Amino acid sequence: MSQLTRSEWEARAKTLNIEGRAFINGEYVPARSGATFECISPIDGRLLGLVASCGPADADFAVASARSAFESGVWSRQAPARRKAVMVHFSELLQAHAEELALLETLDMGKPISDALSVDLPGTIDSIRWCGEAIDKVYDEVAATPEDQLGLVTREPVGVVATIVPWNFPLMMASWKLGPALATGNSVILKPSERSPLTAIRIAQLALDAGLPAGVLNVLPGYGNTVGKALALHADVDALAFTGSTQVAKQLLVYAGESNMKRVWLEAGGKSPNIVFADAPDLQVAAEAAATAIAFNQGEVCTAGSRLLVQASIKERFVPMVVEAMKGWKPGHPLDPDTNVGALVDDRHLQGVLQYIQEGQRQGAQLLLGGHATGVETGGSYVEPTLFDNVSNSMSIAREEIFGPVLSVIEFDEAEDAVRIANDTPYGLAAAVWTADLSRAHKMARALRAGSVWVNLYDGGDMMAPFGGYKQSGNGRDKSLHAFDKYTEIKATWIQL
Ligand code: NAD
């Protein structure tokens, strides 16, 4: 990991070349309308640059480029081993530019530089490399036909894939789509969040440099209700892969229904329960994990452990341990390598988080830690990690995704109560259980309606494990070979011999 100091990062930030144009058909271009929007750093409110504000005309251009690249077969019909080589090279170029990309990510969305370097970049690089390396090791199927017939079950790329991603892990969320979509031979249009477009724009050039043919990866920065909507309604987009809020996810299903019934894959919000039983193997470890689960990445994590369910018999002892652990998470300058809590993505989001904190107090939850904006003099958007005790699962702080470092402690008595409370949510992304009882751990894992369940840890898994949600947390899975399902059609070819 880099040993740079804050002032060295700041010096680098001054010399960064920030590209804000769209990337279509292998080159950087302004939006057809010439429109731009300001890209502001949440670290200090500084203008980073102007970014192309793409619209429907740019979507048409990018879709046409993607379609033409797809039809030409230059990527879609390449031997898998060739696609592997390009993607592995792409991952190497990402690695070579890891510090530059981490710095862009931190400047753009406010996360600590140490996290950008140790989490976002390795996660991104791994996704591209893993999917590339996998693609020449997956086989199609031959059906168990009678002797005089042959049944082939083959996978083909779906065609033109649009992917719309959020701002919390801008590159990594994009890479969870780009890895499998590109490996399986599709052409892709990536729409980053208007709140964090810079790294997506930058890596388009690296992909081209790695040998990805022009038109196979296009990047369209801009707003959701303009270029995002245009892509979601586009008649020539075959699949839409989304990560973001449940509200927008639902709208995308409507757009697909109103247009060409494109496949819609959704990774949406969460309100994940982190359940601590009295027999947890080590309460100190559980307390520290509970703090990390809500404070890491400023709580701007879809799987944030935002509901801490604590068994009544240990609550009095355990909650102070969590409070102590959370005190170790302090907002600081994101370019300082020792900072573990950075800035929220922007002031609008900060105000939303503060409103939830007020709402929690109004509804009678007990504020034990934090609760305020901080670092106001910097011009940035910082909030104290916040803990509420005595929360009921019906309060809005327990029901709605705050997407900030705000933890709600909810008490339970027996395992059945924990399951009932944990599942009493519209979401189903993740859940964790802390217990030394093997049988209870398995029973809980079965009973919890969530795409990921962790036992005696929080936020486990890597590229080998599928990731996604039950209920209104989404459909389909990112990561692992299961992710390839989203980007391929299955064809049955039946032959009379
Ligand atoms: P968001 O839904 O506001 O925006 C996500 C993306 O959708 C952005 O690129 C935005 O421009 C675009 N968009 C907005 N309106 C649109 C429209 N009408 N048509 C097309 N596109 C539109 O979400 P966000 O605030 O960027 O991200 C936070 C959300 O993402 C949280 O709910 C979080 O839980 C979720 N998230 C989920 C996962 C997961 O894997 N399940 C991972 C990370 C984040």
Side-chain angles (χ1 to χ4, degrees):
M1 220 217 290
S2 168
Q3 301 297 322
L4 297 184
T5 61
R6 171 175 163 183
S7 49
E8 285 166 336
W9 283 116
E10 283 174 335
R12 283 199 187 190
K14 289 203 183 96
T15 62
L16 260 188
N17 176 28
I18 290 182
E19 177 59 72
R21 288 174 295 172
F23 191 84
I24 305 177
N25 208 24
E27 54 189 7
Y28 286 109
V29 289
R32 290 248 157 143
S33 66
T36 56
F37 63 91
E38 291 188 341
C39 183
I40 305 285
S41 176
I43 295 179
D44 49 15
R46 187 158 52 95
L47 177 69
L48 293 170
L50 295 177
V51 173
S53 186
C54 294
D58 306 290
D60 285 344
F61 180 25
V63 172
S65 306
R67 175 63 60 193
S68 135
F70 184 77
E71 295 298 339
S72 77
V74 63
W75 182 251
S76 54
R77 292 198 294 275
Q78 270 293 352
R82 175 69 198 135
R83 293 206 295 266
K84 172 180 77 171
V86 171
M87 292 194 63
V88 169
H89 191 200
F90 181 24
S91 76
E92 289 163 354
L93 292 183
L94 292 168
Q95 180 68 61
H97 291 83
E99 288 190 352
E100 174 200 345
L101 292 166
L103 179 55
L104 269 181
E105 206 82 304
T106 289
L107 293 172
D108 203 359
M109 64 70 69
K111 69 172 64 211
I113 187 74
S114 50
D115 289 349
L117 280 169
S118 66
V119 178
D120 296 68
L121 264 299
T124 301
I125 293 160
D126 194 31
S127 176
I128 301 296
R129 191 187 50 228
W130 194 95
C131 293
E133 284 178 345
I135 198 61
D136 66 347
K137 298 168 191 71
V138 287
Y139 297 87
D140 288 329
E141 296 161 27
V142 179
T145 56
E147 183 62 23
D148 63 344
Q149 295 181 337
L150 177 63
L152 303 176
V153 182
T154 52
R155 283 181 184 270
E156 296 178 353
V158 72
V160 173
V161 174
T163 178
I164 300 178
V165 295
W167 48 263
N168 61 335
F169 294 93
L171 254 194
M172 196 162 79
M173 293 303 102
S175 75
W176 289 3
K177 317 294 187 197
L178 295 181
L182 292 173
T184 47
N186 297 282
S187 293
V188 181
I189 298 146
L190 166 62
K191 194 210 89 63
S193 169
E194 60 277 17
R195 288 152 130 177
S196 61
L198 299 181
T199 47
I201 296 173
R202 176 68 181 103
I203 64 161
Q205 180 68 51
L206 298 180
L208 191 79
D209 294 347
L212 199 71
V216 176
L217 173 59
N218 306 275
V219 179
L220 294 184
Y223 290 97
N225 58 12
T226 54
V227 71
K229 179 176 175 182
L231 288 169
L233 280 169
H234 207 290
D236 207 25
V237 168
D238 299 296
L240 186 59
F242 172 78
T243 297
S245 63
T246 293
Q247 190 192 355
V248 173
K250 289 180 178 178
Q251 186 59 48
L252 298 182
L253 290 167
V254 174
Y255 292 151
E258 285 173 353
S259 55
N260 62 342
M261 221 172 89
K262 55 181 68 65
R263 284 92 185 90
V264 182
W265 302 110
L266 304 166
E267 297 285 351
K271 194 74 195 174
S272 299
N274 183 15
I275 306 167
V276 184
F277 283 95
D279 70 347
D282 185 333
L283 284 182
Q284 185 57 35
V285 171
E288 282 166 21
T292 306
I294 194 65
F296 168 66
N297 210 50
Q298 304 73 244
E300 298 166 328
V301 183
C302 53
T303 55
S306 51
R307 290 185 297 150
L308 181 60
L309 274 56
V310 183
Q311 196 157 29
S313 60
I314 53 161
K315 195 167 150 258
E316 226 172 277
R317 186 153 66 95
F318 185 65
V319 170
M321 292 164 77
V322 179
V323 170
E324 274 316 300
M326 279 181 72
K327 286 182 184 163
W329 291 86
K330 290 197 192 78
H333 197 288
L335 290 179
D336 182 336
D338 293 327
T339 292
N340 58 7
V341 180
L344 295 185
V345 70
D346 58 20
D347 186 60
R348 179 159 60 96
H349 186 46
L350 170 64
Q351 297 311 323
V353 171
L354 292 172
Q355 262 175 23
Y356 273 112
I357 293 173
Q358 282 168 11
E359 183 74 359
Q361 287 172 292
R362 207 182 53 74
Q363 293 187 354
Q366 189 186 357
L367 183 68
L368 289 191
L369 184 76
H372 306 99
T374 174
V376 183
E377 68 289 351
T378 62
S381 318
Y382 301 84
V383 70
E384 296 168 346
T386 296
L387 186 145
F388 279 109
D389 197 359
N390 298 329
V391 177
S392 101
N393 201 49
S394 58
M395 292 179 186
S396 50
I397 53 170
R399 298 212 73 77
E400 292 167 31
E401 186 180 42
I402 301 174
F403 224 54
V406 181
L407 181 60
S408 292
V409 177
I410 303 170
E411 181 180 307
F412 72 90
D413 291 312
E414 302 301 331
E416 306 80 71
D417 304 319
V419 170
R420 183 178 41 76
I421 298 167
N423 287 340
D424 177 16
T425 167
Y427 298 110
L429 193 55
V433 181
W434 298 78
T435 177
D437 180 333
L438 184 64
S439 165
R440 171 187 276 160
H442 279 293
K443 282 188 192 160
M444 290 294 296
R446 282 185 187 171
L448 290 164
R449 304 274 301 153
S452 295
V453 177
W454 303 302
V455 177
N456 295 335
L457 85 170
Y458 203 89
D459 222 349
D462 60 19
M463 274 306 292
M464 286 179 281
F467 180 91
Y470 283 30
K471 300 195 275 182
Q472 293 183 40
S473 287
N475 64 341
R477 293 294 179 266
D478 280 339
K479 300 166 69 183
S480 83
L481 294 180
H482 292 284
F484 290 8
D485 295 348
K486 291 180 173 178
Y487 306 102
T488 48
E489 294 285 6
I490 294 181
K491 179 174 281 179
T493 306
W494 211 259
I495 302 171
Q496 182 68 48
L497 300 178

